Amino acid sequence: MAYLEREADKRSDPRLLLAGARWVVMVGVSYDSLAVPATLLNDPSRGRIARYAWGADYHDLITPRLRGLGEWASARSRAWVDTGPVLERAWAAQAGLGFIGRNTCLIHRTRGSYFFLGAILIADEIALDDTPAPAPRKASAGCGACRRCLDACPTQAFPEPGVLDARRCISYLTIELKGSIPVALRPRMGNWIFGCDVCQDVCPYVRRYAIPTGWPAFRPIDAERAAPRLLDALAWDRDAFNQRFRGTALKRAKWRGVLRNVCVAAGNWGDPACLPLLERHARGEDALVAEHAAWAIERIAAR
Ligand code: B12
Ligand code: SF4
Ligand code: SF4
């Protein structure tokens, strides 16, 4: 994630992104879908996908709408969701959308944290209408004495409350990391094959207040989109993967990245039924996938 370092100056001064920037509009778009039962998601014979990626790719859906809103408000604007060098959580907290929890997510006190953040930068003066402004919202409810996320994180990625060591985070390991997953962390990854929701799933704000998204496109078309069977996933070739996940956020990790993760999940499941497919991948041309398949075979044998 070297891009984080490269654009530090822009992150700390939005005027470097848009000359004369005067306003920041922060938007939250819920992606939570309660459609898939936890028993299915936790089934070790299935590979689990983080909720935000169950439906259509949020970049494709949200970015044009943010841009449209920016253009409507001003002749000079820029907008991003997740892709821009902007401190989305810090800005959202300042805008009153919520507080930054010990799990480092932006949490709304009556919506939880299963929502994307979008940012619009606006350079011109906005003509405000006469509608009375809503009473200023208290940004913070806060974590209080709770530390559920810190204790539940499978890879112990929080060295201290509110600080995430991304190198240990399953989200980083399954999506951002392009090379080999550290062997010591593989058994802790359980059945996650793309992203991770544990530190949000356990959060009382999420458990109490999560509401289904109003955007049908973020709902999975079926349970297989949220947690495909590992035996099916091991059999996908590049074309099958691309066809299944076209237009979703999974294309970011690409077929070989997801297959690498599927091998780890298969090793953690430990069922010998995976062996024929794993052996095929262990003999395959892709060295990265082959190494993870060999690891899984050893782990199943050790059981
Ligand atoms: C890099 C990144 C990751 C990394 C690192 C995450 C992390 N916690 O740092 C990895 C790959 C691990 C990751 C994982 C996930 N991510 Co992510 N990620 C990002 C990304 C692209 C950049 C974050 C960033 O800038 N980090 C760098 C540090 C320096 O910035 P920061 O922590 O945000 O800000 C702090 C400091 O800057 C400082 N600060 C405050 N004010 C100021 C002012 C100045 C001038 C300066 C210099 C500093 C400063 O305090 C801030 C708050 O602590 C953002 C999108 C974005 N552009 O913001 C999404 C984003 C944070 N991710 C998101 C999501 C959904 C996830 C996952 C839930 C996905 C999943 N299910 O697998 C997980 C959650 C893991 C977790 N517990 O955080 C959402 C969060 C939504 C929310 N409600 O909070 C975001 C906002 C994307 C989006 N647009 O929706 N992510
Ligand atoms: S997303 Fe998962 S691995 Fe990452 S910090 Fe949260 S619980 Fe830990
Ligand atoms: S689980 Fe508890 S400590 Fe963690 S973010 Fe939620 S309220 Fe805060």
Side-chain angles (χ1 to χ4, degrees):
M1 297 190 295
Y3 62 90
L4 288 173
E5 225 174 318
R6 275 198 301 273
E7 301 191 294
D9 53 339
K10 292 183 185 149
R11 275 169 213 278
S12 50
D13 185 357
R15 287 164 303 188
L16 298 176
L17 291 164
L18 179 67
R22 295 175 62 94
W23 299 85
V24 176
V25 178
M26 291 304 300
V27 176
V29 181
S30 166
Y31 58 78
D32 195 17
S33 167
L34 309 175
V36 189
T39 43
L40 190 139
L41 297 173
N42 292 325
D43 178 345
S45 73
R46 290 176 177 270
R48 189 166 172 184
I49 293 172
R51 277 162 209 274
Y52 83 92
W54 286 359
D57 188 335
Y58 56 102
H59 301 101
D60 300 344
L61 239 62
I62 302 174
T63 315
R65 287 166 167 82
L66 291 180
R67 290 207 177 127
L69 184 56
E71 282 160 19
W72 171 79
S74 161
R76 291 187 300 139
S77 67
R78 291 190 74 183
W80 304 267
V81 52
D82 199 25
T83 48
V86 291
L87 297 170
E88 286 173 347
R89 287 167 297 180
W91 287 5
Q94 286 183 15
L97 269 184
F99 67 98
I100 296 175
R102 294 198 171 115
N103 62 6
T104 77
C105 294
L106 194 280
I107 301 172
H108 186 285
R109 59 177 169 166
T110 58
R111 289 282 186 275
S113 57
Y114 282 140
F115 53 85
F116 302 110
L117 290 173
I120 311 174
L121 268 185
I122 292 178
D124 296 320
E125 194 54 66
I126 299 180
L128 298 174
D129 65 20
D130 294 333
T131 315
R137 252 176 304 168
K138 267 210 184 123
S140 174
C143 291
C146 176
R147 43 175 296 124
R148 285 185 206 179
C149 53
L150 311 177
D151 297 336
C153 174
T155 53
Q156 295 173 326
F158 298 107
E160 56 184 272
V163 177
L164 178 69
D165 180 350
R167 294 165 301 181
R168 296 185 71 86
C169 176
I170 294 169
S171 186
Y172 168 77
L173 297 171
T174 54
I175 304 171
E176 302 289 333
L177 179 66
K178 300 300 169 226
S180 177
I181 297 173
V183 172
L185 295 178
R186 292 181 197 177
R188 294 168 178 249
M189 289 168 58
N191 70 336
W192 290 103
I193 62 166
F194 188 86
C196 169
D197 286 330
V198 172
C199 58
Q200 295 184 88
D201 267 355
V202 299
C203 178
Y205 287 97
V206 171
R207 297 184 87 87
R208 207 171 301 151
Y209 299 121
I211 47 160
T213 176
W215 295 42
F218 289 140
R219 297 187 197 129
I221 43 173
D222 57 28
E224 302 303 311
R225 271 293 285 107
R229 288 184 182 83
L230 288 172
L231 285 172
D232 293 341
L234 282 168
W236 294 332
D237 60 14
R238 194 185 300 271
D239 286 345
F241 174 85
N242 288 341
Q243 210 175 350
R244 177 175 284 259
F245 294 109
R246 184 172 298 129
T248 76
L250 266 84
K251 64 182 191 282
R252 188 181 172 87
K254 301 203 170 68
W255 170 65
R256 72 190 286 261
V258 174
L259 188 55
R260 172 200 64 178
N261 305 337
V262 168
C263 289
V264 173
N268 290 338
W269 176 24
D271 195 306
C274 299
L275 287 173
L277 286 161
L278 284 171
E279 276 156 10
R280 203 175 79 199
H281 290 306
R283 286 192 305 271
E285 277 173 19
D286 190 308
L288 179 72
V289 173
E291 185 254 307
H292 288 75
W295 175 86
I297 292 167
E298 254 182 57
R299 189 159 160 80
I300 294 172
R303 287 211 171 171

